[in-house]
């Protein structure tokens, strides 16, 4: 179970900005040594991968689909987030073996919710254990490793225990961690916030680009791992001991952040995340084998693979040092996403957060709508990836709008309407491609919950449905007080289902 967001309060960004935003201007990164033993290029894309929910994987082949999808996207390495679970080494063995077989790289990312900063020797020993495996990422000839949190770790003791040179790029925080002792740093805060791990307010708004500047100032020219994320929503109630319930403003974040990355051009990028379903910022498949920590309540029937597809031309442009994705769009697609209900719907009588006396030791639990819900917009978001100009037609409920889209990547939005959601690309008054989403927007409480997760779809649609598997649904009904039909996408009655002829609706 991932509780990273709970511990993120240790980063006081308010102090960070006061001490750092007025300092030196953005520095350029240090060029890579040519003796690098890794097979990767200079600019690298990582993706955070939670080992803590993969205890049900039986062999290396269970990682193959993840590795192949990531490789095809342009991701260079998975950052394998680890704690101290009994199955960690078994799963790491499988992951390293699969990565080697699929020409991917991986590295350890130590989660300091479970590790302690006084365990530098244990961290170093774990790095040593995997340092010489073929799939281990090496940068500048050094074994690459990272972390979530970890300020105060004794870097010298860690390196001594590892017995090798380490390119350590942890999630240290400006003003807290020792930036002189590390080779780079990861910024985890990929969402605008209030400086105290919650959604921004009118008088406290720390943007993601504020964080970029603070980290680059603190790094003084050392490589920066810039974060990219599409969403954040978590909604654990009293049915579990790790209750937490808030959102960060997301909406068009996935599109806007990739454009910022092209301008910033950091040496490293880390996508947050591949499979952290509990915080709703996954881009990997729902079907990717994993266990359920209770997140299935808001993850079921909510695939995000469209975000994976959208990022492909952006990753290619980033690696090429280009500011535009236009020439990297090879296959025309429409990517769309929206929440399944308007934000003013009232689910208090059935929502899991309204019951009992949940644990709020973290300060992250709120009853009812998630903290920060006002920061979200009741809109449908569309990104067009086109090789030539076209007209995008969107129908949300009873309302239809058209948008002129240029070649390349462009984003649009319109108010959400209750009912079916339809999307089409037109040229010369002819439909080039079109589809009706499998997910309607409704004004009822799905499974009785406030669900601020995002449904992400693609036109042309994917060939197969992406669904949670039995292990990923194990805790679905825990704490629920309303009916919750399982894996309902594609189950409309024939009267409601549009006929498809290829990708054209008739």
């Amino acid at each position: 179970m991932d509780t990273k967001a709970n511990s993120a309060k240790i980063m006081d960004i308010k102090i960070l900005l006061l001490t750092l935003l007025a300092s030196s201007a953005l520095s350029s990164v240090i060029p890579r040594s040519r003796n690098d033993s890794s097979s990767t290029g200079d600019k690298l894309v990582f993706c955070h991968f939670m080992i803590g929910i993969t205890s049900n994987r039986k062999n290396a082949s269970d990682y193959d689909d993840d590795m192949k999808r990531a490789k095809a996207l342009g991701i260079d390495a998975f950052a394998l987030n680890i704690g101290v679970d009994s199955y960690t080494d078994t799963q790491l063995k499988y992951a390293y073996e699969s990565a080697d077989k699929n020409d991917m790289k991986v590295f350890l990312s130590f989660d300091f919710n479970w590790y302690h900063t006084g365990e530098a020797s244990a961290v170093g020993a774990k790095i040593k254990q995997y340092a010489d495996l073929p799939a281990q990422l090496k940068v500048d000839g050094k074994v690459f490793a990272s972390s979530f949190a970890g300020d105060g770790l004794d870097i010298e003791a860690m390196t001594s225990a590892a017995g090798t040179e380490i390119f350590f790029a942890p999630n240290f925080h400006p003003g807290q961690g020792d930036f002189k002792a590390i080779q780079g740093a990861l910024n985890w805060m990929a969402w605008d916030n209030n400086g105290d791990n919650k959604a921004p307010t009118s008088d406290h708004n720390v943007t993601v680009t504020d964080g970029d500047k603070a980290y680059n100032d603190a790094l003084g020219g050392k490589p920066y791992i810039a974060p990219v994320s599409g969403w954040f929503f978590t909604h654990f109630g009293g049915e579990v001991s790790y209750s937490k319930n808030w959102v960060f403003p997301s909406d068009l974040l996935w599109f806007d952040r990739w454009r910022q990355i092209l301008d910033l051009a950091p040496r490293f990028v880390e996508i947050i995340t591949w499979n952290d379903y509990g915080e709703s910022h996954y881009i990997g498949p729902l079907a990717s084998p994993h266990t359920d920590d209770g997140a299935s309540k808001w993850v079921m029937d909510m695939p995000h693979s469209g975000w994976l597809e959208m990022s492909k031309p952006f990753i290619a442009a980033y690696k090429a040092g280009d500011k535009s994705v236009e020439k990297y769009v090879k296959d025309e697609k429409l990517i769309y996403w929206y929440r399944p209900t308007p934000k003013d719907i009232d689910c208090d009588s059935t929502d899991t957060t309204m019951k009992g006396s949940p644990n709020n030791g973290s300060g992250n639990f709120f009853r009812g709508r998630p903290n920060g819900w006002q920061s979200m917009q009741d809109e449908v978001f569309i990104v067009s990836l086109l090789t030539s100009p076209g007209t995008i037609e969107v129908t949300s409920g009873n309302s239809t709008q058209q948008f002129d889209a240029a070649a390349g990547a462009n984003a649009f939005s319109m108010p959400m309407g209750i009912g079916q959601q339809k999307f089409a690309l037109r040229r010369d008054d002819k439909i080039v491609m079109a589809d009706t989403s499998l997910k309607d927007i409704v004004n009822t409480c799905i499974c009785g919950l406030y669900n601020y997760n995002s449904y992400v779809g693609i036109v042309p649609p994917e060939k197969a449905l992406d669904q949670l598997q039995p292990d990923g649904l194990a805790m679905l009904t825990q704490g629920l007080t309303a009916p919750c039909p399982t894996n309902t996408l594609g189950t409309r009655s024939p009267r409601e289902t549009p006929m498809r002829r290829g990708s054209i609706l008739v």
Side-chain angles (χ1 to χ4, degrees):
M1 189 277 299
D2 170 40
T3 57
K4 296 183 310 301
N6 289 344
S7 288
K9 288 190 74 176
I10 65 174
M11 178 171 66
D12 190 341
I13 303 182
K14 293 179 286 187
I15 296 176
L16 174 157
L17 292 174
L18 288 173
T19 58
L20 292 171
L21 286 179
S23 61
S24 61
L26 186 67
S27 302
S28 60
V29 297
I30 299 173
R32 185 172 74 108
S33 169
R34 292 301 110 190
N35 64 355
D36 189 350
S37 60
S38 72
S39 60
T40 52
D42 188 43
K43 290 184 177 179
L44 302 180
V45 176
F46 312 139
C47 190
H48 211 77
F49 187 103
M50 307 305 299
I51 291 294
I53 60 168
T54 61
S55 61
N56 60 330
R57 298 195 177 193
K58 306 302 183 185
N59 49 55
S61 296
D62 284 344
Y63 286 86
D64 285 351
D65 183 69
D66 296 312
M67 298 293 174
K68 290 174 181 177
R69 287 175 185 265
K71 178 76 175 180
L73 184 65
I75 293 172
D76 299 288
F78 276 127
L80 302 177
N81 177 287
I82 60 170
V84 294
D85 299 294
S86 60
Y87 53 82
T88 296
D89 281 323
T90 298
Q91 295 302 326
L92 286 179
K93 175 180 177 293
Y94 295 156
Y96 270 80
E97 182 181 334
S98 176
D100 181 36
K101 181 171 59 175
N102 291 289
D103 194 27
M104 271 282 286
K105 297 295 182 183
V106 291
F107 60 89
L108 301 182
S109 180
F110 295 87
D111 193 325
F112 280 88
N113 279 304
W114 313 112
Y115 280 89
H116 303 289
T117 55
E119 297 178 303
S121 294
V123 171
K126 186 64 68 177
I127 293 173
K128 181 177 182 179
Q129 185 177 346
Y130 294 91
D132 294 327
L133 294 183
Q136 170 63 48
L137 177 68
K138 295 182 179 179
V139 173
D140 296 350
K142 302 173 183 179
V143 175
F144 197 91
S146 187
S147 76
F148 173 79
D151 297 297
L153 186 71
D154 186 333
I155 306 301
E156 184 177 351
M158 178 194 72
T159 304
S160 177
T164 188
E165 287 191 288
I166 303 172
F167 194 113
F168 194 47
N171 172 224
F172 282 4
H173 302 105
Q176 298 182 37
D178 183 1
F179 277 64
K180 294 180 181 179
I182 58 180
Q183 286 68 49
L186 164 68
N187 174 13
W188 185 261
M189 291 303 291
W191 315 271
D192 291 356
N193 60 90
N194 69 345
D196 195 23
N197 199 42
K198 295 296 179 295
T201 60
S202 59
D203 55 346
H204 291 92
N205 185 17
V206 182
T207 68
V208 185
T209 56
D210 288 337
D212 291 335
K213 176 166 172 49
Y215 267 84
N216 275 293
D217 288 348
L219 285 163
K222 293 180 180 180
Y224 173 48
I225 307 178
V228 182
S229 188
W231 210 259
F232 188 107
F233 164 66
T234 188
H235 196 67
F236 291 104
E239 74 279 4
V240 296
S241 61
Y242 35 90
S243 307
K244 55 182 183 178
N245 178 29
W246 86 95
V247 298
F248 287 123
S250 300
D251 294 342
L252 271 175
L253 175 64
W254 187 240
F255 177 79
D256 292 338
R257 183 57 178 163
W258 274 113
R259 291 197 301 169
Q260 292 170 2
I261 290 295
L262 297 187
D263 289 334
L264 183 64
R267 182 172 177 185
F268 305 127
V269 169
E270 185 156 326
I271 297 170
I272 302 173
T273 59
W274 185 262
N275 63 342
D276 193 339
Y277 305 101
E279 293 180 354
S280 306
H281 42 59
Y282 52 94
I283 65 167
L286 300 181
S288 182
H290 67 278
T291 56
D292 185 16
D293 59 2
S296 57
K297 295 175 184 62
W298 58 90
V299 171
M300 183 187 63
D301 287 345
M302 303 291 275
H304 286 183
S305 56
W307 282 339
L308 185 151
E309 291 294 325
M310 196 212 87
S311 63
K312 189 171 184 177
F314 283 92
I315 290 175
Y318 156 73
K319 289 185 175 182
D322 208 328
K323 304 297 184 185
S324 170
V325 304
E326 183 173 348
K327 66 183 180 183
Y328 304 97
V329 175
K330 305 301 182 183
D331 301 309
E332 293 196 316
K333 298 178 186 294
L334 304 181
I335 314 299
Y336 59 87
W337 60 93
Y338 49 84
R339 300 190 326 279
T341 59
K343 62 185 179 182
D344 62 355
I345 189 172
D346 186 351
C347 303
D348 280 1
S349 64
T350 53
D351 189 81
T352 54
T353 65
M354 299 298 294
K355 303 189 323 177
S357 302
N359 172 30
N360 195 22
S362 67
N364 290 323
F365 175 74
F366 302 85
R367 292 192 185 275
R369 293 181 181 88
N371 176 267
W373 66 273
Q374 302 94 330
S375 67
M376 309 292 274
Q377 301 301 313
D378 279 347
E379 294 185 348
V380 175
F381 304 97
I382 312 97
V383 169
S384 59
L385 301 176
L386 303 181
T387 57
S388 62
T391 298
I392 311 302
E393 184 174 278
V394 182
T395 298
S396 182
N398 295 324
S399 178
T400 298
Q401 291 189 21
Q402 291 188 337
F403 306 93
D404 292 329
N410 294 274
F412 311 95
S413 66
M414 69 172 289
M416 65 166 58
I418 304 300
Q420 291 187 350
Q421 312 298 307
K422 301 179 181 182
F423 306 87
L425 168 65
R426 293 180 177 272
R427 290 193 181 102
D428 300 324
D429 293 326
K430 296 180 180 179
I431 295 178
V432 177
M433 56 183 178
D435 195 33
T436 296
S437 172
L438 295 176
K439 188 78 168 179
D440 293 353
I441 293 176
V442 298
N443 58 0
T444 57
C445 301
I446 302 171
C447 297
L449 299 177
Y450 289 108
N451 191 341
Y452 279 66
N453 193 4
S454 182
Y455 176 84
V456 187
I458 310 171
V459 183
E462 295 183 297
K463 294 180 180 179
L465 291 177
D466 180 22
Q467 297 181 326
L468 291 173
Q469 301 306 299
D471 284 353
L473 288 164
M475 292 177 64
L476 176 66
T477 61
Q478 186 173 340
L480 291 183
T481 61
C484 192
T486 305
N487 287 339
T488 63
L489 293 184
T491 59
R492 288 196 187 100
S493 67
R495 178 179 58 82
E496 297 172 314
T497 304
M499 298 174 57
R500 293 180 181 174
R501 186 173 296 153
S503 62
I504 304 301
L505 298 186
V506 295

